[in-house]
Amino acid sequence: MTHLAVRHWTPKHVAKWLKEEGFCDYVDLLCYKHRLDGTSLLALSEYDLRSPPLELKVLGDIKRLMVSIRKLQKQNVDVLEELGLPFDGHSPTGAGGTLDWLCKGEPERDFDSSDTAPVGEEYHQYTNGKYKQQTRRLDPEYWKTVLSSVYVVFVFGFTSFVMVIVHERVPDMRTYPPLPDIFLDSVPRIPWAFAMAEACGVILCNIWLLVLLLHKHRSILLRRLCSLMGTVFMLRCVTMFVTSLSVPGQHLQCSGKIYGDMWAKLHRAVAIWSGFGMSLTGVHTCGDYMFSGHTVVLTMLNFFVTEYTPRSWNFIHTMSWVLNLFGIFFILAAHEHYSIDVFIAFYITTRLFLYYHTLANTRAYQQSRRARIWFPMFSFFECNVKGPVPNEYCWPFSKPAVMRRLIG
């Protein structure tokens, strides 16, 4: 067998090799049950050993078997190159050869192993032969951040125009009185509560802007905020356009208002857009009840603040959650939205945030075909962000120098 090329090995040859290397216990599993031949042996990775259908349980055996496999891979580098496998012997993910020009096209690698340093990364080798990954440099890709900003500005403008259309269709209160709502029927209206809700949003926004200013990867953070905020508000455009709910309170003097021609509608939409849709800036709207935009903003800012600050910053995290929850309470206490509006807004915002960041932190999924089909914008914005974004901070200006030393 020593004179036969590994690529021509049959499962019997692999069985003999496993016995020679001292892995007799796995001959039946690898060779007879799963028919591992020479080529598949070279393509085997530690992830394959740990995952179904193999699911090896003994850590020492996994590590020793991978050491033997890597020795075999090192002796057959030419075969690995012909198979399109990276030098460390991990299986290709299927995304390396057909990546879009927008992505760098770095092949995915399995980082569970610490015996061999992946090619193309900066690693520090300890005296025991183990490797520790150094701090990764994340490309800010400012042009993508600009595109995401244009996207969210467009969505906000489109949302403002839809709000004008919805206002024209708001049901007459005399014909369609407020719908029954457990919270609104049980809690008396507080006139100043909606202003307090917006004040909570302003404070949260300032905290987020400070975090964004000091975060080393501020471009990626801003891009993610814009893409998520734009997507949620685009969904809001659809929901409030297709269904018009009656006003939630008798205090709201809302009736179908006709703005006239298209220019009048656009003028009103610009007024809503420039005032951020806030009553503090003098903007008052009707009919945009499904679902609550104020709740979306409060919740999204809260999640971004808590995600991109260290876990030890308990005071900031507590304050962020208090502002989020009190802001939601004040929205309901002001009787500006139905309870279902707030609940749906909170649920959609939190789920979309968690789904997005789970996908972004799962490197094996970023370049998958399914992600490109179902989440094209996510795949576009995140294709070059490999893994979680570390919470690193720096002073973005050259002066004062003491701030650069203190924060850097």
Side-chain angles (χ1 to χ4, degrees):
M1 187 182 75
T2 56
H3 300 290
L4 184 64
V6 176
R7 66 189 311 169
H8 300 305
W9 284 7
T10 65
K12 291 183 178 180
H13 293 107
V14 175
K16 184 177 180 180
W17 178 82
L18 287 172
K19 293 176 182 178
E20 291 177 353
E21 295 292 325
F23 300 104
C24 301
D25 295 340
Y26 301 107
V27 170
D28 289 339
L29 175 66
L30 298 176
C31 300
Y32 302 129
K33 183 176 180 180
H34 293 286
R35 297 194 295 274
L36 209 67
D37 59 9
T39 302
S40 55
L41 178 65
L42 289 176
L44 204 63
S45 69
E46 183 171 332
Y47 180 81
D48 297 329
L49 298 178
R50 293 174 180 267
S51 306
L54 297 180
E55 293 185 292
L56 271 61
K57 300 299 184 182
V58 183
L59 180 61
D61 288 351
I62 294 174
K63 293 295 184 180
R64 284 187 288 272
L65 181 55
M66 282 311 304
V67 170
S68 299
I69 290 175
R70 287 199 176 90
K71 290 179 181 177
L72 201 63
Q73 291 170 341
K74 189 174 181 180
Q75 298 168 2
N76 295 270
V77 176
D78 54 338
V79 178
L80 293 175
E81 292 178 353
E82 291 180 14
L83 296 175
L85 295 174
F87 179 72
D88 59 353
H90 293 160
S91 301
T93 61
T98 58
L99 287 177
D100 294 337
W101 64 273
L102 294 170
C103 300
K104 290 183 174 62
E106 298 176 2
E108 299 291 337
R109 290 179 292 268
D110 179 11
F111 281 84
D112 288 339
S113 171
S114 59
D115 297 318
T116 304
V119 178
E121 302 279 358
E122 294 182 1
Y123 279 75
H124 169 72
Q125 184 177 14
Y126 294 111
T127 56
N128 62 357
K130 302 293 183 180
Y131 288 86
K132 177 184 178 182
Q133 186 178 5
Q134 301 292 346
T135 302
R136 295 175 292 118
R137 183 187 180 279
L138 296 176
D139 189 352
E141 297 184 293
Y142 296 113
W143 67 279
K144 288 187 179 181
T145 304
V146 172
L147 284 180
S148 68
S149 302
V150 172
Y151 167 68
V152 75
V153 169
F154 167 77
V155 170
F156 284 165
F158 184 69
T159 302
S160 301
F161 183 77
V162 172
M163 291 168 71
V164 174
I165 303 300
V166 168
H167 194 169
E168 292 183 339
R169 301 166 48 202
V170 64
D172 188 353
M173 189 182 304
R174 291 169 296 183
T175 307
Y176 301 96
L179 299 174
D181 187 287
I182 293 178
F183 185 91
L184 301 187
D185 295 341
S186 304
V187 178
R189 174 177 172 264
I190 304 176
W192 46 265
F194 198 63
M196 290 299 299
E198 293 186 343
C200 291
V202 171
I203 297 173
L204 256 179
C205 184
N206 282 283
I207 295 175
W208 163 245
L209 290 176
L210 182 61
V211 172
L212 186 66
L213 175 69
L214 299 180
H215 205 285
K216 184 177 180 180
H217 308 290
R218 59 187 68 88
S219 177
I220 299 175
L221 271 60
L222 180 59
R223 182 163 69 241
R224 291 181 172 180
L225 176 68
C226 290
S227 60
L228 283 170
M229 196 76 80
T231 301
V232 177
F233 270 85
M234 183 63 76
L235 177 61
R236 182 172 182 259
C237 288
V238 175
T239 57
M240 67 182 180
F241 179 78
V242 297
T243 303
S244 296
L245 298 178
S246 58
V247 296
Q250 297 288 348
H251 67 286
L252 295 171
Q253 301 302 319
C254 290
S255 60
K257 185 174 182 180
I258 304 301
Y259 287 98
D261 58 9
M262 181 61 67
W263 288 111
K265 292 182 174 66
L266 291 175
H267 184 269
R268 174 58 180 166
V270 170
I272 296 174
W273 177 79
S274 60
F276 301 101
M278 299 173 59
S279 62
L280 291 179
T281 59
V283 175
H284 298 279
T285 60
C286 287
D288 53 326
Y289 300 123
M290 184 59 71
F291 42 88
S292 169
H294 284 71
T295 303
V296 169
V297 174
L298 285 165
T299 306
M300 191 72 75
L301 291 175
N302 170 33
F303 271 61
F304 267 90
V305 168
T306 53
E307 175 72 17
Y308 293 107
T309 52
R311 292 188 177 183
S312 58
W313 292 15
N314 296 321
F315 176 75
I316 295 295
H317 293 181
T318 303
M319 178 185 293
S320 180
W321 272 105
V322 167
L323 290 170
N324 186 185
L325 297 178
F326 268 84
I328 291 176
F329 169 77
F330 285 134
I331 292 172
L332 292 174
H335 290 206
E336 293 288 336
H337 274 284
Y338 291 106
S339 301
I340 190 65
D341 300 348
V342 173
F343 173 78
I344 291 178
F346 183 83
Y347 184 83
I348 290 177
T349 305
T350 55
R351 294 316 97 179
L352 193 60
F353 179 92
L354 294 174
Y355 294 158
Y356 189 101
H357 283 77
T358 299
L359 294 177
N361 296 339
T362 306
R363 301 179 57 176
Y365 195 76
Q366 286 181 351
Q367 297 301 329
S368 70
R369 194 175 186 181
R370 180 174 296 177
R372 294 187 178 192
I373 294 174
W374 289 102
F375 310 105
M377 187 167 60
F378 161 80
S379 183
F380 169 71
F381 284 134
E382 300 293 333
C383 63
N384 292 327
V385 182
K386 305 300 182 182
V389 175
N391 287 327
E392 302 169 338
Y393 301 91
C394 66
W395 183 249
F397 310 108
S398 58
K399 295 181 180 180
V402 63
M403 292 297 295
R404 290 182 61 89
R405 290 194 299 268
L406 178 64
I407 299 178

